[in-house]
Amino acid sequence: MMLHYFLRRAFLIGFVFVALTVLAFSLSYLFPGDVLTNVSGLSSIQPEQQQNLIQYYALDQSLLQQYIAYLNRILDGEWGLSFSSQQPVLSEIIAVFPATLELASYALLLSFVLGIPLGLFAAVKADSFLGKLISAITLVAYSIPIFWWALLLIMLFSLTLGVLPTAGRINVLFDIPTTTGFMLPDIWLSDIAYKAEATQDALRHLLLPAVVLATYPTTVMIRFTRDSMLAVLEQSYIKTARAKGLSRAQVLYHHGLRNALLPVIRQIGLQFSTLITLAMITEVIFSWPGIGQWLLDSIYQRNYPAIQGGLLVVSCLVIVVNMLTEILHTLFNPLARKA
Amino acid sequence: MIKALLSLMVPCGSLLILSACQPDIPETIQQGMVYCAEGSPESFNPQRVTSGTTIDAISQQLYDRLLDIDPATGELLPALATAWHLSEDGKTYWFTLRSDVQFHHTAFFSPGRTLNADDVTFTFNRILQTEHPYHQVGGANYPYFQSVGWDSLVKAVVAENSTTVRFELARPDSSFLSNLATDFAAVLSAEYAKQLLQQGKPELLDQRPIGTGPFFFKEYKKDQFIRYYRHPEYWRGKTELTQLVFDLVPDNAKRMAKLLTHECDVVAYPRNAELKLITERPDVEVQSQTSMNVGFWAFNTKKAPFDNVLVRKALAYAINKDAILEAVYFGYADKAKTILPPTSWAFYHDLPEQQYDPVKAKELLAQAGFANGFRMDIWAMPVQRLYNPNALKMAELMQADLAKIGVRASIVSFEWNSFRRKLSEFEHDSVLIGWSADNADPDNFFRPLLSCSAAESGSNRANWCDPNFDNLINQALLTADVKQRRSFYLTAQLYLDEQMPLVSIAHSKRFQAKSINVTGVTINPYGGISMARARKSL
């Protein structure tokens, strides 16, 4: 039963990947300019090189064969060169991607840690003042445009109070060698003498962007947990459990939580694409050197090979996360497996 | 990692953001400086670029030149060359080199010897000899040396012995030494170049630099930062700073914010509109320096009616420069009398100032046969430059001024690359643009802007070719006597004032803002910023 389910999912993800690569592949033709230049990313192609390149990229063959050649190159890690730097696109993506993952995962973690307890509280004490306050604040935070919110925080904490930095991942004077690309692990893996100071500085840099990026998912998390918990609490099995004589806490923990959190898990997957979009905006505001800023720069510079590669990576990430949360949801929910 | 976390929690309490908590930061951080620059460098070899952004970031930091320019007086000072002399006919120069100059010792190169004449010949032969193994590397592009015509001027660069280099010129040229002292004439390492050639990676010479300068290259993260460390064996003595980071922040507002939060110690090019705001803060300071530049309004003198000198003079009288200085430069510029800035030694102090006089302008127009005015285009460059921070606004002000004398001006602008291309094809009536000098020599203003050869190559925005004027500036180069040269340049300025191929508008000041605890960072009027004497008090 389960095996069948995973196979179906694997098939689906394969199909989506094909659709994505077809889209990315066709971009070389849809972008303005010479196809060979768009595919290779070479800024100046000598006439004597041209024939070799056309053969190498299979541009003289049918579209299907070109697409297969493209897939091969993607799998071999040959993603062409970036127009602006003439460096391989893939290595640029590998350099910037961890920063985005790091920021997004801290923000997501923050939204769990804050969102679920607050949502539960707001549901259980729905009629109290605090419960209503949480709901009201959530609504406001949900409606705030993220760039405005980010600027407000920068104005307050950086420019007025002067306690937090405005940009970057760490004070540029800290010379942290890149091993994983994730700042905090890199600090701990390095053999520098000032690890504690560097960690503190990195956390100070992380705080504002993470809070800004976590704002939206946190509010979604609170609202969803609250609504779903309220719905569960209305169910007759809860009343039965209470009638059986279980304490309020026992009912909440054993019957409420598990049922209420199921739809929340699914939400994570659905909200992830929004989170990535918001991460791009956050990166630009805080000069966070992640894939969002890199991709927006590439779009601004009409750097087609980079746009192509960046879109592929970002959309694959979104799809993979979606799939994983689906699977998690299924594991926790026997009903979904049958569906 | 838990230990690391704990050790920071304990002394600082649980509030990470508490700024009062100052842990023991090592020296490389305490004595490190962050310079926030406005853009990324194109290359790490000054021979290959002309952009001021790149020169600021690399030239004075990584390299030395044979000669330096005294920023106060504009005189030439010994640098890598301790002495130099000139043959009788003015066509051969000998330079004696210092023998104690160490190249950078980095992760990718260990120098085996000190600087000698081979390094100097390598540096300049790369530019001059088309068959040189490095000449074609990166596309044979040496824009500064090409613009001053070195390929026809310098015949040979020869190492006579390990400390003597001979330059043979095709003709006497009194601007030659000044060109050697520009930021572009940085001396590279021949040994490093040879090593790279053996490894088959010659292109790294321009990407992973080795020089003799006060700092050595550690790493460059594109669009993020450049990291330099102090060169411990720098021949002028090691710098106070242990580390120097160029933080690349193209956004003006972000650069300003980083100054106020002290993430940047020094900030390049604060916007004129924000200078007042910064000066009110006690913890930051604004420095200014009259820079060697000029913003001007050039007429296409081959096109009617601008081929008529009366029309050009009339238009010059019609422009209210004071209003422009106030609105476009926010008062942070000197009004220009001629294309030379007042700090140049050849500046004509007694030249009468161009007055704002619409009545006179109308008279002149009537004399020229345009009593009812005419239609014209003003091309305004689309980018912000030091010499003209807002050409569109300037054009609007001028449009209003011109309307008063019956001239109906339309404003034209294109994207910057096509703008320059169309300009060099002389499609314009008139254009608002400018020039920043690379060295202290006045020739650097006259020849690239108004000579006949510049009209051919397209950099003469006035499309003005006048044999009398060319004669004056050529004669000025043939003599090394400063008094004589000066008199030629004074005549040239007077002649320009009569002919008015362009209207000089302003010499803008260059600004930088810095934290109050930073000293020793001065703006050099002749080129890139130098951090060699910078220091930070804690």
Side-chain angles (χ1 to χ4, degrees), chain A residues 84-85 87 92 96 154 157-159 161-168 171-176 178 188 193-197 199-200 203-205 207 283-287 289 293 297 301, chain B residues 1 4-5 7-8 12 15-19 21 23-26 28-29 32-34 207 218-219 221-225 227 229 243-245 247 249 254 257-258 260-261 263 265 281 536:
Chain A
S84 63
S85 65
Q87 297 295 312
E92 289 202 345
V96 293
I154 290 180
F157 288 102
S158 305
L159 295 178
L161 297 175
V163 289
L164 288 175
T166 60
N171 183 338
V172 281
L173 289 173
F174 288 106
D175 186 359
I176 311 290
T178 309
W188 297 324
Y194 39 85
K195 279 187 192 179
E197 292 80 13
T199 310
Q200 187 197 355
L203 289 176
R204 290 180 59 220
H205 278 80
L207 192 57
E283 283 175 13
V284 172
I285 296 173
F286 290 96
S287 306
Q293 201 183 22
D297 277 345
Q301 297 161 351
Chain B
M1 86 186 186
L5 268 176
S7 62
L8 90 99
C12 304
L15 257 184
L16 289 171
I17 57 169
L18 213 65
S19 60
C21 151
D24 292 331
I25 298 172
T28 48
I29 312 247
M33 189 168 288
V34 182
Q207 292 162 19
K218 173 72 193 312
E219 67 174 321
K221 279 225 169 96
K222 192 180 167 293
D223 300 335
Q224 292 181 37
F225 62 80
R227 189 186 307 285
Y229 278 111
Q243 195 191 163
L244 172 63
V245 175
D247 194 358
V249 192
K254 276 187 192 163
K258 281 185 147 190
L260 299 183
T261 59
E263 287 165 80
D265 295 307
R281 299 262 309 207
K536 208 169 162 181

Side-chain angles (χ1 to χ4, degrees), chain A residues 139-171:
Chain A
L139 188 66
V140 173
Y142 182 79
S143 323
I144 286 184
I146 180 171
F147 51 87
W148 184 66
W149 173 227
L151 290 181
L152 279 186
L153 289 180
I154 290 180
M155 296 256 299
L156 178 63
F157 288 102
S158 305
L159 295 178
T160 311
L161 297 175
V163 289
L164 288 175
T166 60
R169 298 173 82 185
I170 193 164
N171 183 338

Side-chain angles (χ1 to χ4, degrees), chain B residues 354-528:
Chain B
Q354 174 74 48
Q355 297 299 323
Y356 169 54
D357 192 345
V359 180
K360 181 109 191 256
K362 270 198 115 150
E363 278 173 32
L364 285 170
L365 268 193
Q367 274 183 45
F370 293 99
N372 297 322
F374 54 88
R375 285 183 180 280
M376 68 178 289
D377 287 343
I378 301 176
W379 287 33
M381 57 174 194
V383 293
Q384 177 188 347
R385 282 287 180 270
L386 186 60
Y387 47 71
N388 191 340
N390 193 343
L392 280 171
K393 192 168 177 187
M394 191 186 281
E396 283 164 16
L397 291 170
M398 292 173 50
Q399 197 178 30
D401 284 340
L402 292 174
K404 288 181 196 150
I405 61 162
V407 173
R408 294 169 297 280
S410 340
I411 299 170
V412 177
S413 195
F414 299 97
E415 179 271 324
W416 183 224
N417 279 324
S418 14
F419 189 81
R420 279 188 300 184
R421 198 191 64 243
K422 283 166 185 282
L423 268 188
S424 50
E425 287 160 8
F426 300 113
E427 293 182 20
H428 58 289
D429 287 345
S430 73
V431 60
L432 289 172
I433 200 161
W435 176 256
S436 290
D438 313 297
N439 62 46
D441 201 285
D443 186 62
N444 197 271
F445 277 91
F446 292 108
R447 183 171 306 273
L449 289 182
L450 289 165
S451 68
C452 288
S453 62
E456 259 168 53
S457 74
S459 71
N460 181 338
R461 305 302 183 198
N463 200 6
W464 190 62
C465 178
D466 188 315
N468 297 329
F469 179 77
D470 257 36
N471 196 19
L472 282 171
I473 59 171
N474 284 337
Q475 276 187 315
L477 273 195
L478 292 178
T479 167
D481 182 66
V482 172
K483 261 194 181 148
Q484 265 189 353
R485 289 190 71 195
R486 187 157 189 267
S487 76
F488 281 120
Y489 288 132
L490 295 190
T491 321
Q493 286 167 68
L494 205 58
Y495 192 66
L496 282 183
D497 197 47
E498 280 165 19
Q499 294 293 321
M500 203 62 76
L502 51 77
V503 183
S504 306
I505 293 168
H507 307 292
S508 173
K509 289 185 183 130
R510 176 172 173 178
F511 292 92
Q512 75 184 8
K514 64 176 188 64
S515 283
I516 205 86
N517 62 345
V518 171
T519 50
V521 190
T522 47
I523 311 173
N524 179 351
Y526 307 114

Side-chain angles (χ1 to χ4, degrees), chain B residues 6 26 79 148 155 180 184 284 344 349-350 392 409 415 427 492 525 533:
Chain B
L6 278 180
V148 294
K155 283 201 312 203
L180 272 186
F184 309 104
V284 291
S344 169
H349 285 278
D350 299 330
L392 280 171
E415 179 271 324
E427 293 182 20
R533 288 191 194 83

Side-chain angles (χ1 to χ4, degrees), chain B residues 246-309:
Chain B
F246 276 74
D247 194 358
L248 309 173
V249 192
D251 187 287
N252 283 320
K254 276 187 192 163
R255 229 166 38 242
M256 208 48 58
K258 281 185 147 190
L259 174 74
L260 299 183
T261 59
H262 297 277
E263 287 165 80
C264 301
D265 295 307
V266 185
V267 165
Y269 298 106
R271 263 194 309 203
N272 288 358
E274 281 153 359
L275 286 175
K276 201 163 165 283
L277 181 90
I278 312 175
T279 43
E280 284 165 3
R281 299 262 309 207
D283 54 340
V284 291
E285 185 178 67
V286 176
Q287 294 176 298
S288 72
Q289 163 83 44
T290 304
S291 168
M292 295 289 274
N293 64 54
V294 58
F296 55 76
W297 182 31
F299 307 111
N300 187 347
T301 54
K302 291 270 170 5
K303 231 183 196 178
F306 310 102
D307 51 352
N308 185 337
V309 71

